[in-house]
Amino acid sequence: ETIATIKREFDWQGMNIFNEEAVLDPLFLQAWQQDHKRVPEQRLALRKLLYRPAPDHPDLRVWAFTMLREDFCTKLMGALDRFEAYKKKRGLKIRRSGSRYGALFNHVGFQKFFDTLVRNYLRTLA
Protein backbone atom coordinates (compact mmCIF):
# COMPACT_ATOMS: atom_id res chain seq x y z
CA GLU A 1 0.00 0.00 0.00
CA THR A 2 2.78 2.48 0.88
CA ILE A 3 4.63 1.79 -2.37
CA ALA A 4 1.43 2.21 -4.41
CA THR A 5 0.78 5.55 -2.66
CA ILE A 6 4.29 6.77 -3.46
CA LYS A 7 4.03 5.76 -7.11
CA ARG A 8 0.67 7.49 -7.36
CA GLU A 9 1.52 10.70 -5.50
CA PHE A 10 5.23 11.52 -5.66
CA ASP A 11 6.52 13.36 -8.73
CA TRP A 12 10.12 12.40 -9.58
CA GLN A 13 10.02 15.12 -12.29
CA GLY A 14 11.24 12.68 -14.94
CA MET A 15 14.27 11.50 -12.97
CA ASN A 16 12.99 7.91 -13.13
CA ILE A 17 12.87 7.83 -16.94
CA PHE A 18 16.09 6.62 -18.53
CA ASN A 19 17.47 8.94 -21.22
CA GLU A 20 21.07 8.10 -22.05
CA GLU A 21 22.04 11.66 -23.05
CA ALA A 22 20.61 13.08 -19.81
CA VAL A 23 22.02 10.33 -17.56
CA LEU A 24 25.32 9.09 -18.99
CA ASP A 25 28.54 11.10 -19.03
CA PRO A 26 29.26 12.11 -22.67
CA LEU A 27 32.79 10.65 -22.62
CA PHE A 28 31.50 7.37 -21.20
CA LEU A 29 28.68 7.22 -23.74
CA GLN A 30 31.05 7.87 -26.65
CA ALA A 31 33.52 5.22 -25.43
CA TRP A 32 30.72 2.74 -24.72
CA GLN A 33 29.29 3.22 -28.23
CA GLN A 34 32.74 2.48 -29.69
CA ASP A 35 33.55 -0.49 -27.47
CA HIS A 36 30.48 -2.26 -26.10
CA LYS A 37 30.39 -4.96 -28.78
CA ARG A 38 34.11 -5.67 -28.58
CA VAL A 39 35.69 -8.36 -26.44
CA PRO A 40 37.06 -6.95 -23.15
CA GLU A 41 40.69 -7.02 -24.34
CA GLN A 42 39.80 -4.69 -27.23
CA ARG A 43 37.80 -2.08 -25.31
CA LEU A 44 40.43 0.62 -25.68
CA ALA A 45 38.13 3.66 -25.56
CA LEU A 46 36.63 2.52 -22.25
CA ARG A 47 40.07 1.72 -20.84
CA LYS A 48 41.15 5.30 -21.49
CA LEU A 49 38.44 6.43 -19.04
CA LEU A 50 39.85 4.38 -16.16
CA TYR A 51 41.63 6.10 -13.30
CA ARG A 52 42.86 5.13 -9.88
CA PRO A 53 40.68 6.75 -7.22
CA ALA A 54 43.46 6.28 -4.64
CA PRO A 55 46.72 7.04 -6.52
CA ASP A 56 48.65 7.33 -3.25
CA HIS A 57 48.08 3.60 -2.69
CA PRO A 58 49.62 1.83 -5.69
CA ASP A 59 49.15 -1.56 -4.02
CA LEU A 60 45.37 -1.00 -4.15
CA ARG A 61 44.06 -2.51 -7.36
CA VAL A 62 40.96 -0.40 -7.66
CA TRP A 63 40.02 1.39 -10.86
CA ALA A 64 37.07 3.69 -11.52
CA PHE A 65 35.46 5.60 -14.38
CA THR A 66 32.87 8.34 -14.61
CA MET A 67 29.64 6.92 -15.94
CA LEU A 68 26.90 9.33 -14.87
CA ARG A 69 26.62 13.02 -15.69
CA GLU A 70 27.38 15.28 -12.75
CA ASP A 71 24.26 17.37 -13.36
CA PHE A 72 22.13 14.20 -13.36
CA CYS A 73 23.63 13.14 -10.01
CA THR A 74 22.97 16.60 -8.55
CA LYS A 75 19.34 16.51 -9.73
CA LEU A 76 18.91 12.98 -8.40
CA MET A 77 20.23 13.99 -4.97
CA GLY A 78 17.79 16.92 -4.96
CA ALA A 79 14.94 14.57 -5.89
CA LEU A 80 15.95 12.25 -3.05
CA ASP A 81 15.90 15.17 -0.62
CA ARG A 82 12.38 16.06 -1.83
CA PHE A 83 11.39 12.41 -1.48
CA GLU A 84 12.66 12.28 2.11
CA ALA A 85 10.63 15.42 2.94
CA TYR A 86 7.56 13.92 1.23
CA LYS A 87 7.89 10.68 3.24
CA LYS A 88 8.26 12.58 6.48
CA LYS A 89 5.26 14.83 5.76
CA ARG A 90 3.07 11.84 4.86
CA GLY A 91 4.38 9.68 7.70
CA LEU A 92 5.36 6.93 5.28
CA LYS A 93 7.76 4.17 6.22
CA ILE A 94 9.64 2.15 3.61
CA ARG A 95 12.54 -0.24 3.83
CA ARG A 96 15.95 1.37 3.54
CA SER A 97 19.45 0.23 2.92
CA GLY A 98 22.23 1.46 5.18
CA SER A 99 22.96 4.77 3.44
CA ARG A 100 21.42 8.20 3.98
CA TYR A 101 19.58 7.92 0.67
CA GLY A 102 18.83 4.26 1.13
CA ALA A 103 15.37 4.25 -0.41
CA LEU A 104 14.96 1.14 -2.44
CA PHE A 105 14.71 2.71 -5.87
CA ASN A 106 13.04 -0.27 -7.48
CA HIS A 107 10.14 0.08 -5.06
CA VAL A 108 9.50 3.77 -5.65
CA GLY A 109 9.37 3.99 -9.43
CA PHE A 110 12.94 3.43 -10.65
CA GLN A 111 12.80 -0.26 -11.56
CA LYS A 112 12.66 0.32 -15.33
CA PHE A 113 15.38 2.97 -15.04
CA PHE A 114 17.83 0.66 -13.28
CA ASP A 115 16.83 -2.36 -15.37
CA THR A 116 17.79 -0.35 -18.47
CA LEU A 117 21.05 0.91 -16.94
CA VAL A 118 22.11 -2.57 -15.87
CA ARG A 119 20.91 -4.48 -18.94
CA ASN A 120 22.13 -2.06 -21.62
CA TYR A 121 25.32 -0.70 -20.07
CA LEU A 122 26.67 -2.38 -16.94
CA ARG A 123 26.03 -5.97 -17.99
CA THR A 124 27.79 -5.41 -21.32
CA LEU A 125 30.88 -4.27 -19.44
CA ALA A 126 30.98 -7.21 -17.06
Side-chain angles (χ1 to χ4, degrees):
E1 176 63 33
T2 299
I3 300 303
T5 300
I6 292 168
K7 286 181 178 180
R8 194 173 51 252
E9 292 181 0
F10 188 76
D11 180 11
W12 285 103
Q13 298 177 342
M15 294 299 303
N16 58 335
I17 299 169
F18 191 87
N19 173 328
E20 68 181 20
E21 281 90 26
V23 173
L24 299 176
D25 179 81
L27 292 176
F28 170 80
L29 184 56
Q30 180 182 19
W32 181 85
Q33 288 168 340
Q34 291 175 20
D35 284 0
H36 77 280
K37 291 185 179 179
R38 295 179 178 166
V39 294
E41 301 81 41
Q42 296 176 350
R43 292 181 180 161
L44 303 178
L46 286 164
R47 283 187 185 178
K48 288 179 183 177
L49 299 179
L50 293 174
Y51 65 92
R52 288 179 170 244
D56 296 338
H57 302 281
D59 54 322
L60 218 85
R61 295 182 181 208
V62 175
W63 293 86
F65 60 91
T66 301
M67 182 178 186
L68 303 176
R69 295 176 63 102
E70 188 172 336
D71 59 329
F72 169 77
C73 293
T74 300
K75 289 176 188 175
L76 182 60
M77 296 304 284
L80 288 169
D81 286 340
R82 286 189 310 100
F83 179 67
E84 289 296 319
Y86 162 81
K87 277 187 1 186
K88 186 175 182 180
K89 180 179 176 182
R90 299 274 289 132
L92 300 173
K93 303 272 189 228
I94 63 168
R95 293 183 309 160
R96 298 175 59 98
S97 68
S99 68
R100 175 179 173 199
Y101 296 102
L104 298 177
F105 281 105
N106 285 353
H107 293 196
V108 294
F110 276 81
Q111 184 166 355
K112 288 181 183 177
F113 178 98
F114 283 107
D115 284 352
T116 301
L117 183 65
V118 170
R119 183 181 56 251
N120 294 352
Y121 300 93
L122 295 176
R123 190 176 294 158
T124 63
L125 298 176

